[in-house]
Amino acid sequence: MVVKINENYLKLKSSYLFVEVARREAEFIKNNPEADVIKMGIGDVTKPLVPAVVKAFNDAVGEMGNAETFMGYGPEQGYDFLAEAIIKNDFEKYGISLDTSEVFISDGAKCDTGNIQEIFGIDNRIAVTDPVYTVYVDTNVMAGRTGEMEDGMYEGLTYLKCNAENGFVPELPDEPVDIIYLCYPNNPTGTTLTKDQLKVYVDYAKENKAIILFDAAYEAFIREDNVPHSIYEIEGAKEVAIEFRSFSKTAGFTGTRCAYTVVPKELVGYDSEGNEVQINPLWNRRQTTKFNGVSYPVQKAAEATYSEDGKKQIEEVVDYYMANAKVIRESLTDLGLEVYGGVSSPYIWVKAPNDMDSWAFFDLLLNEANVIGTPGSGFGPSGEGYLRLTAFNTLENTKEAMDRISKLEF
């Protein structure tokens, strides 16, 4: 007898995108120790936690140090005080009603979008936009829902092209699919869908008994009136969609870790005999079995983002990042480059000049301007020839990066 591995992991032909970016960065810095590298690749934030959040965090830690207020194991689904604040502030203002039992607090949207596939059968057909946030694809490869990779695409997955030719609006699948991953505002392209465009997908899911996994991690950056902040603004979406949200980019929780997933009671899947099965209890069981919940101090800190002071302070931070996005978008446009996103998203999707491929453009910016982006090809075949830049650096660094890029000869 020998230990057998999950051979699906062997189908992951290349290293995780950001690992490769980090490897090239480390190699460059090793060879150029005096270089002042500006990082605009990985979407990590630079602004610290706002004062209202820090106070709540400190107060909660103090409670944990007092026998009378100490908190042990909390509910795996999260405390009601945070779920109630989420419902009131993130959904009710859009006319969306939810119960606290439909909101599951977690330690990250990346974790939830990666783990959610566990509750669905292995034979479901998966559709993803192309380009796509790599976690959606890789976790389904690991689970065994795909074949091998060929020409940058995995057999068994349905890819929905999103490019300049179709205005970055994914067309409906041309073959039957069961689960559809959508991320809007989009990572990596920074583009958005209008309510009417998103309604097309909700209607498709209802007609075909499919489920939409809707990643709304960048909702707070929306600046366009006709772009929905939640998929549940679309009539009937509760019957077909799970929504993922995060405090990471909105409130600077990338190192603090807090997010949530909404699984409506109306949402159903089907067993092998065609009987309806509620999805909400399945996710609840998964979480209570495999997850011990987010710490009490972190949840109190997250609750503070909804306080009067917290809202004002976080809005200022979001506006700061969006000002950076405007600088990037306008600077690159002035250079004659094709630029997308950056209007309702902290991501800018830029076309490489002179038919340069993604990694060549990445290397050019790194070696000649000492600026790090993320190669679009790492997000899927339709990302080839593009580079993603983030607005999460400081304004000073953002302006400096644009100045350096402006001096390059393309």
Side-chain angles (χ1 to χ4, degrees):
M1 296 292 291
V2 296
V3 174
K4 310 250 185 346
I5 63 167
N6 178 353
E7 294 189 21
N8 294 306
Y9 277 69
L10 302 180
K11 298 174 185 175
L12 297 168
K13 297 301 182 184
S14 58
S15 63
Y16 185 54
L17 171 62
F18 298 110
V19 174
E20 177 61 17
V21 169
R23 187 193 68 78
R24 295 196 185 200
E25 174 194 339
E27 182 178 357
F28 176 82
I29 293 175
K30 179 181 178 181
N31 296 329
N32 302 272
E34 303 302 320
D36 176 21
V37 176
I38 298 176
K39 300 178 182 181
M40 305 179 73
I42 296 176
D44 198 359
V45 297
T46 52
K47 285 287 189 181
L49 299 174
V50 300
V53 168
V54 172
K55 182 181 185 304
F57 210 162
N58 285 331
D59 288 348
V61 171
E63 290 181 53
M64 299 295 281
N66 187 314
E68 295 181 358
T69 53
F70 171 77
M71 306 289 285
Y73 285 126
E76 293 92 343
Q77 306 89 339
Y79 289 99
D80 279 347
F81 66 75
L82 180 53
E84 289 167 358
I86 286 168
I87 293 169
K88 179 180 179 181
N89 292 279
D90 288 346
F91 294 97
E92 287 185 356
K93 64 182 176 181
Y94 299 113
I96 301 164
S97 60
L98 293 170
D99 186 79
T100 54
S101 63
E102 296 173 302
V103 178
F104 296 82
I105 314 300
S106 76
D107 57 350
K110 174 182 178 180
C111 303
D112 287 353
T113 56
N115 291 329
I116 196 74
Q117 50 82 25
E118 290 185 18
I119 65 175
F120 298 110
I122 200 69
D123 54 350
N124 282 298
R125 182 78 181 195
I126 308 296
V128 296
T129 56
D130 173 33
V132 65
Y133 180 46
T134 54
V135 171
Y136 312 153
V137 172
D138 288 356
T139 51
N140 278 287
V141 174
M142 294 171 179
R145 291 192 182 87
T146 76
E148 299 290 341
M149 177 183 281
E150 287 189 8
D151 299 324
M153 295 184 287
Y154 285 98
E155 297 172 330
L157 285 188
T158 297
Y159 289 82
L160 312 173
K161 286 188 178 181
C162 296
N163 51 34
E165 285 68 32
N166 62 18
F168 295 95
V169 178
E171 297 178 357
L172 289 173
D174 58 6
E175 58 186 345
V177 299
D178 305 298
I179 296 172
I180 307 165
Y181 287 81
L182 295 177
C183 174
Y184 288 95
N186 186 257
N187 177 16
T189 66
T191 56
T192 56
L193 292 183
T194 65
K195 289 183 179 180
D196 288 343
Q197 289 167 339
L198 186 55
K199 184 178 184 298
V200 170
Y201 264 88
V202 171
D203 291 344
Y204 172 91
K206 291 177 69 175
E207 292 169 7
N208 294 275
K209 295 184 177 180
I211 287 179
I212 298 171
L213 303 180
F214 190 75
D215 190 342
Y218 303 96
E219 168 274 334
F221 298 91
I222 293 173
R223 295 294 184 272
E224 298 161 284
D225 292 337
N226 63 342
V227 173
H229 288 254
S230 168
I231 194 170
Y232 303 126
E233 292 183 54
I234 311 301
E235 184 178 358
K238 282 188 181 181
E239 301 169 26
V240 295
I242 295 172
E243 183 165 304
F244 307 88
R245 296 278 194 103
S246 173
F247 294 95
S248 286
K249 310 301 168 53
T250 304
F253 274 51
T254 52
T256 308
R257 311 309 304 149
C258 195
Y260 65 89
T261 292
V262 178
V263 186
K265 296 283 183 66
E266 294 97 318
L267 183 67
V268 298
Y270 299 87
D271 64 18
S272 59
E273 296 181 355
N275 300 308
E276 288 188 353
V277 179
Q278 271 191 310
I279 301 297
N280 180 285
L282 300 183
W283 183 241
N284 184 61
R285 181 57 188 269
R286 191 270 171 201
Q287 292 298 81
T288 54
T289 300
K290 292 190 173 185
F291 184 57
N292 258 349
V294 177
S295 75
Y296 173 74
V298 167
Q299 291 192 60
K300 291 300 289 185
E303 181 191 29
T305 67
Y306 298 112
S307 67
E308 185 176 347
D309 287 342
K311 287 179 181 178
K312 181 179 179 181
Q313 292 163 5
I314 288 171
E315 183 178 0
E316 291 174 354
V317 172
V318 172
D319 287 345
Y320 179 92
Y321 290 137
M322 290 310 296
N324 287 350
K326 183 178 181 182
V327 169
I328 299 170
R329 188 180 71 250
E330 292 182 351
S331 297
L332 297 180
T333 299
D334 288 344
L335 293 177
L337 297 174
E338 289 183 33
V339 181
Y340 305 93
V343 176
S344 288
S345 165
Y347 293 122
I348 293 83
W349 191 241
V350 54
K351 183 78 169 66
N354 303 322
D355 295 322
M356 193 180 297
D357 69 40
S358 294
W359 281 106
F361 193 30
F362 170 90
D363 288 335
L364 174 67
L365 295 189
L366 175 59
N367 292 310
E368 302 299 328
N370 300 165
V371 173
I372 294 178
T374 306
S377 58
F379 297 101
S382 291
E384 179 56 79
Y386 288 87
L387 189 89
R388 190 193 74 176
L389 295 174
T390 81
F392 289 123
N393 213 304
T394 65
L395 178 59
E396 179 183 21
N397 280 347
T398 299
K399 289 181 176 178
E400 171 64 21
M402 294 304 103
D403 182 60
R404 293 180 190 178
I405 293 173
S406 71
K407 295 174 182 176
L408 298 178
E409 292 185 7
F410 297 125

